[in-house]
Structures are given as structure tokens and as C-alpha cells.
Amino acid sequence: LEEELQQRRDKLDEEWEELAQAQEEASFREQQYRERCDAEYKLLKDKLHEEHKQLVADIDKQRATLYQEFEQQHSKWEIEKEHERQQQLVLQQQWQADHLKQTAVWESDMKKKH
């Protein structure tokens, strides 16, 4: 009977040892899994951060380009506007000169008739 109890005790000890070893292996695998997940998370986070920095840089570059294009177009419009104003002034002066000539001719004709 004692021998049978000893065999059972030995068998339980052996099973306990196997369970303890299985638990230790599971803990080790869980730790490896956590470390791998943490490393992947850090890589993805770093990659996302770099992509974000690149997007911000690209947007800033596009904004600067658009602003420069706007400034150039605005300057061009201002030059065109000034050119049109000068042309209007010339046309107005020509019209006034023609009007004065026409008035002088008309007055001269009127004097000749009287």
C-alpha cells in the first residue's frame, strides 16, 4: 500500500513538474510574444511618425509653391492692370486732343460763316 502511495506521489510530482515546466514555457512564449509586439508597435509608430513628418513637409512645400505662384500671378495682374490704365489714359488724351481740334475747326468754321 505504501509503495502504491509512493508511486502515486511520484506520478503526481512528475505531473506537477510537467505542469510547472509547461507554465514556464508558456510564460516564456508570452514574454517573447509581448516583446515582438512591442517591437512591431514601435516600428509602426516610428514609420507613422516619419510618414507624418514627410506629409507635413510636402504640404508646406506645396503651400509655399502655391503662394509663390499666387504672388507671381498677382504681380502679373497688377502689371496688366497698370498697362490697361496707361492705355486708357492715352486713349483719353487722344480723345481730348481730337475733341479740342474738332472744336477749334468748328469754331473756325463758325467764324468764317459770320
Side-chain angles (χ1 to χ4, degrees):
L1 181 68
E2 200 166 302
E3 192 176 310
E4 190 178 319
L5 281 174
Q6 187 60 41
Q7 286 177 352
R8 282 186 173 181
R9 189 176 291 148
D10 290 346
K11 187 172 182 178
L12 285 173
D13 286 346
E14 190 178 302
E15 288 176 2
W16 183 259
E17 186 62 37
E18 287 174 7
L19 284 174
Q21 188 176 357
Q23 176 66 32
E24 191 177 309
E25 288 175 14
S27 292
F28 178 73
R29 278 193 235 113
E30 180 184 2
Q31 182 62 30
Q32 283 184 322
Y33 177 75
R34 286 177 191 251
E35 289 172 1
R36 192 168 58 247
C37 287
D38 289 346
E40 287 179 22
Y41 172 78
K42 184 180 181 332
L43 285 174
L44 289 173
K45 184 179 167 187
D46 291 347
K47 182 180 177 185
L48 182 63
H49 180 71
E50 287 303 314
E51 287 176 1
H52 179 261
K53 278 180 19 182
Q54 187 60 47
L55 283 173
V56 168
D58 291 347
I59 289 169
D60 287 345
K61 185 178 177 183
Q62 286 178 333
R63 183 181 297 131
T65 300
L66 288 173
Y67 184 75
Q68 184 179 15
E69 288 173 1
F70 170 78
E71 287 294 319
Q72 289 171 350
Q73 186 63 42
H74 190 293
S75 295
K76 183 180 170 186
W77 288 335
E78 289 295 322
I79 291 168
E80 289 173 358
K81 188 172 150 185
E82 180 59 25
H83 181 69
E84 286 177 22
R85 194 181 73 75
Q86 292 292 333
Q87 284 181 327
Q88 288 293 330
L89 225 89
V90 167
L91 289 174
Q92 186 179 7
Q93 289 170 349
Q94 286 175 347
W95 182 85
Q96 286 174 344
D98 289 346
H99 181 69
L100 287 174
K101 281 184 200 172
Q102 203 57 36
T103 303
V105 167
W106 180 75
E107 286 176 354
S108 173
D109 286 349
M110 291 304 262
K111 285 180 184 176
K112 288 179 186 175
K113 287 182 181 178
H114 287 97

